[in-house]
């Protein structure tokens, strides 16, 4: 029997675009939507009233933090101090080790997935730091994560991260990448093994994808092998690239081409590719400051970018023009990439930065950002049944409350939510027809326990930076407090 959810505002979908309904409902049965509109007269098994809230498609986060976040530590440092956040050459050659046990890594994953649910994410593609691992992510870790994700009810696009190189600080203080090609081949084998595992699970909520690390940490043969595997198996591949000047300089030095050209040369620049960030293309002021064909090349390839506005802003960069990428025909999806996994705050950051960069208020494309968090993500995943509330689509939906006095006055619900709210206002989350969160509660999850456990894991992670630092500085020196602490 169907379930009916009513809300003050409902973001429906009609004629290929989102439309807003007021005092409307969504009806679903099984894992699909039956009806979106104002009046539903058929029988229902359950009615849910979310009241003064915005009911919309579940948010799609394609660079979703599944880790204990390090941005709170390392987004404040100058160039010299930042070197202490990387592996030292000595650590790479002689002392690399896992900071966390296998059991702790599973705890980290569960902590992070709970956070995604509480912030209105229904579909995710994970990202975690490899800095704290002996190399990257083993097959067994992702098997455990998939089990946790299934239990919690999220829709995941999963695979172990792999690489053949690591960003390091050399003995002379310069930054570079050191390689262990054999580890890269082992990582790709694990990734393909996980894709087979996901197929055997036969669970629509677990989808295998290829998730290599950063482009500069993959040798040329691993890049080619990844592109070939993506083609042969028709699976998505996400590769962090076009995200920094150091990356660009390294790729130019090693291969004589830009990162975008390299992606094309190895056969990866196509509709199966997802590129987190994609901020350093030729139109970026730090590169050429004008479009010399990169946008057209990217758009023609069919590849999608994953824009992470909040994280980029916190590290001092941003997409130089959301509207230019959109106008060129580039598919834009969204990611959080760091804590909090809050796409509402991310959309707000992107909208306001766009205004600043363009020097005009109408450059703040709210609808464009909402589309990116829903339709853009669905397009990148090649899933036209996601990202929209429409008959026949997957019953993935989330409601954000707008009824608190502190939410202020209402005009347009999206402007109200972006300007005045956060994703912490999520009060209902449904994935494939299963309610996975209601009123901030997740069945079987003790949030007080996970708050304490998360802090314990973070403290262990913070202490471990000293071991990797080339100068073995204490954590309090690497990450000094905002104000000096007064001792007793």
């Amino acid at each position: 029997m169907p379930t009916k959810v009513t809300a003050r505002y409902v973001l429906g979908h009609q004629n290929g675009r989102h439309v807003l309904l007021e005092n409307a409902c969504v009806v679903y049965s099984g894992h699909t939507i039956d009806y979106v509109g104002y009046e539903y007269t058929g029988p229902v098994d359950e009615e849910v009233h979310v009241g003064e809230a915005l009911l919309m498609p579940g948010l799609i986060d394609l660079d979703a933090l599944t880790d204990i976040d390090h941005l709170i530590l390392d987004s404040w440092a100058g160039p010299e101090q930042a070197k202490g956040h990387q592996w030292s050459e000595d650590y790479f050659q002689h002392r690399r080790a896992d900071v966390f046990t296998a059991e702790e890594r599973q705890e980290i994953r569960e902590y992070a997935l709970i956070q995604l649910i509480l912030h209105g994410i229904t579909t995710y593609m994970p990202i975690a730091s490899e800095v704290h691992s002996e190399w990257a992510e083993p097959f067994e870790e992702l098997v455990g994560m998939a089990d946790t994700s299934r239990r919690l009810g999220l829709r995941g696009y999963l695979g172990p991260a792999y690489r053949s190189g690591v960003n390091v600080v050399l003995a002379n203080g310069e930054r570079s990448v050191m390689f262990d090609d054999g580890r890269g081949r082992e990582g790709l084998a694990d990734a393909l093994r996980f894709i087979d595992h996901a197929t055997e699970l036969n669970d629509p909520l677990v989808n295998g994808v290829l998730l290599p690390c950063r482009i500069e940490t993959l040798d040329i043969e691993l890049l080619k092998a990844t592109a070939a595997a993506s083609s042969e198996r028709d699976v998505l591949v996400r590769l962090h690239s076009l995200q920094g000047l150091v990356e660009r300089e390294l790729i130019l030095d090693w291969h004589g081409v830009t990162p975008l050209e390299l992606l094309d040369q190895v056969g990866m620049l196509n509709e199966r590719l997802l590129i987190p960030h994609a901020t350093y293309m030729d139109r970026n002021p730090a590169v050429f400051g004008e479009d010399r064909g990169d946008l057209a090349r990217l758009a023609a390839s069919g590849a999608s970018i994953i824009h992470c506005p909040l994280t980029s802003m916190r590290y001092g960069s941003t997409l130089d023009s959301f509207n230019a990428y959109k106008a060129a025909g580039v598919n834009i999806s969204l990611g959080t990439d760091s804590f909090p996994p809050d796409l509402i705050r991310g959309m707000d950051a992107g909208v306001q930065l766009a205004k600043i960069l363009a020097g005009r208020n109408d450059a703040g494309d709210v609808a464009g950002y909402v589309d990116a968090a829903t339709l853009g993500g669905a397009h990148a995943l090649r899933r036209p049944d996601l990202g929209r509330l429409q008959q026949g689509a997957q019953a993935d939906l989330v409601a954000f409350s707008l009824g608190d006095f502190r939410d202020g006055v209402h005009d347009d619900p999206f402007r109200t939510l972006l300007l005045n709210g956060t994703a912490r206002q999520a009060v209902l989350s449904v994935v494939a027809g299963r309610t996975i969160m209601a009123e901030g509660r997740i069945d079987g999850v003790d949030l007080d326990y996970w708050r304490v456990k998360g802090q314990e894991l973070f403290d262990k992670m913070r202490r471990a930076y000293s071991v990797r630092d080339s100068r073995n500085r204490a954590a309090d020196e690497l990450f000094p407090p905002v104000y000096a602490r007064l001792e007793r």
Side-chain angles (χ1 to χ4, degrees):
M1 293 287 284
T3 297
K4 177 182 178 182
V5 184
T6 60
R8 168 74 184 277
Y9 304 105
V10 174
L11 187 66
H13 197 78
Q14 189 176 71
N15 299 325
R17 63 181 60 191
H18 289 324
V19 291
L20 188 65
L21 294 75
E22 192 164 355
N23 296 316
C25 68
V26 175
V27 180
Y28 59 88
S29 54
H31 57 80
T32 57
I33 294 172
D34 299 327
Y35 176 85
V36 180
Y38 292 107
E39 302 292 339
Y40 181 80
T41 57
V44 295
D45 185 55
E46 181 182 7
E47 291 198 46
V48 178
H49 303 281
V50 293
E52 199 78 357
L54 169 63
L55 183 64
M56 65 179 293
L59 299 178
I60 300 174
D61 185 349
L62 298 184
D63 211 30
L65 181 72
T66 52
D67 206 348
I68 299 295
D69 191 33
H70 56 82
L71 182 144
I72 195 172
L73 295 173
D74 63 18
S75 60
W76 316 94
E80 286 304 312
Q81 191 177 16
K83 292 178 181 179
H85 306 161
Q86 301 286 334
W87 285 18
S88 67
E89 184 175 0
D90 175 65
Y91 184 81
F92 173 91
Q93 293 176 331
H94 306 296
R95 298 184 293 110
R96 61 193 193 218
D98 289 321
V99 172
F100 299 107
T101 66
E103 180 182 3
E104 287 171 331
R105 289 298 304 173
Q106 293 305 320
E107 291 174 329
I108 287 171
R109 300 298 198 178
E110 185 157 358
Y111 173 89
L113 293 181
I114 291 168
Q115 294 282 4
L116 295 183
I117 293 173
L118 293 174
H119 286 82
I121 306 299
T122 57
T123 296
Y124 73 101
M125 191 176 282
I127 178 69
S129 173
E130 300 84 18
V131 169
H132 318 294
S133 299
E134 185 270 337
W135 192 255
E137 295 175 352
F139 167 80
E140 294 78 12
E141 184 173 325
L142 268 292
V143 169
M145 181 179 173
D147 291 342
T148 301
S149 186
R150 295 173 75 195
R151 171 165 50 83
L152 292 172
L154 282 163
R155 187 186 303 280
Y157 283 77
L158 312 177
Y162 58 93
R163 60 183 176 178
S164 53
V166 181
N167 284 281
V168 299
V169 176
L170 302 176
N172 62 9
E174 295 181 0
R175 293 183 62 171
S176 188
V177 178
M178 299 186 73
F179 288 90
D180 184 340
D181 295 351
R183 297 302 296 268
R185 291 191 294 272
E186 292 170 7
L188 177 57
D190 266 1
L192 296 175
R193 184 180 168 201
F194 182 84
I195 290 173
D196 292 337
H197 173 73
T199 301
E200 291 168 5
L201 287 177
N202 194 29
D203 184 341
L205 296 186
V206 178
N207 306 272
V209 293
L210 294 170
L211 301 178
C213 299
R214 303 164 63 110
I215 188 172
E216 76 273 20
T217 64
L218 274 68
D219 67 85
I220 190 70
E221 295 307 319
L222 188 56
L223 281 168
K224 290 178 179 178
T226 297
S230 171
S231 176
E232 291 165 7
R233 293 177 176 245
D234 191 29
V235 295
L236 300 172
V237 53
R238 187 193 67 195
L239 178 62
H240 284 70
S241 46
L242 311 171
Q243 65 174 335
L245 291 177
V246 172
E247 167 210 299
R248 183 180 175 89
E249 291 164 3
L250 288 172
I251 297 298
L252 281 168
D253 286 345
W254 296 337
H255 306 292
V257 293
T258 67
L260 186 64
E261 291 168 336
L262 182 62
L263 290 171
D264 203 1
Q265 283 187 9
V266 300
M268 198 179 292
L269 189 62
N270 54 55
E271 72 283 354
R272 294 183 300 276
L273 178 64
L274 287 71
I275 306 174
H277 308 302
T279 47
Y280 282 84
M281 301 213 299
D282 54 19
R283 63 168 291 119
N284 187 292
V287 182
F288 296 124
E290 61 181 13
D291 187 9
R292 298 186 178 182
D294 275 1
L295 276 182
R297 187 175 201 164
L298 182 59
S301 74
S304 297
I305 71 166
I306 307 171
H307 181 28
C308 305
L310 189 60
T311 296
S312 293
M313 180 180 74
R314 288 172 165 181
Y315 282 116
S317 69
T318 188
L319 203 66
D320 61 278
S321 175
F322 179 92
N323 288 337
Y325 280 65
K326 179 180 169 183
V330 176
N331 182 57
I332 306 173
S333 60
L334 292 189
T336 51
D337 192 38
S338 63
F339 194 85
D342 189 328
L343 283 177
I344 303 303
R345 290 180 67 182
M347 286 188 273
D348 182 38
V351 165
Q352 309 314 327
L353 286 167
K355 294 179 186 179
I356 294 170
L357 290 169
R360 46 188 294 173
N361 285 346
D362 60 358
D365 185 0
V366 174
Y369 271 90
V370 175
D371 286 354
T374 53
L375 301 172
H379 181 85
L381 297 174
R382 303 185 294 180
R383 290 290 302 268
D385 59 337
L386 297 180
R388 67 206 69 205
L389 300 185
Q390 186 178 40
Q391 184 179 8
Q394 288 287 302
D396 290 11
L397 47 136
V398 61
F400 294 100
S401 173
L402 296 173
D404 192 288
F405 178 77
R406 291 165 292 187
D407 295 326
V409 298
H410 292 201
D411 176 34
D412 181 278
F414 283 98
R415 293 195 190 108
T416 298
L417 182 59
L418 263 62
L419 288 173
N420 302 345
T422 76
R424 293 185 185 185
Q425 291 163 224
V427 292
L428 178 71
S429 187
V430 177
V431 178
R434 172 187 168 186
T435 299
I436 64 172
M437 183 274 288
E439 297 295 339
R441 294 185 295 274
I442 304 170
D443 285 346
V445 172
D446 182 346
L447 295 182
D448 288 334
Y449 167 83
W450 285 109
R451 180 183 61 80
V452 174
K453 175 58 67 174
Q455 188 65 47
E456 290 174 357
L457 294 165
F458 171 79
D459 291 342
K460 184 176 184 179
M461 178 188 79
R462 184 179 185 271
R463 291 191 298 269
Y465 276 89
S466 299
V467 180
R468 297 187 295 269
D469 177 27
S470 59
R471 293 164 51 190
N472 297 119
R473 286 167 286 186
D476 284 347
E477 184 178 352
L478 288 172
F479 312 113
V482 175
Y483 294 107
R485 292 191 174 117
L486 182 64
E487 303 296 335
R488 282 183 175 273

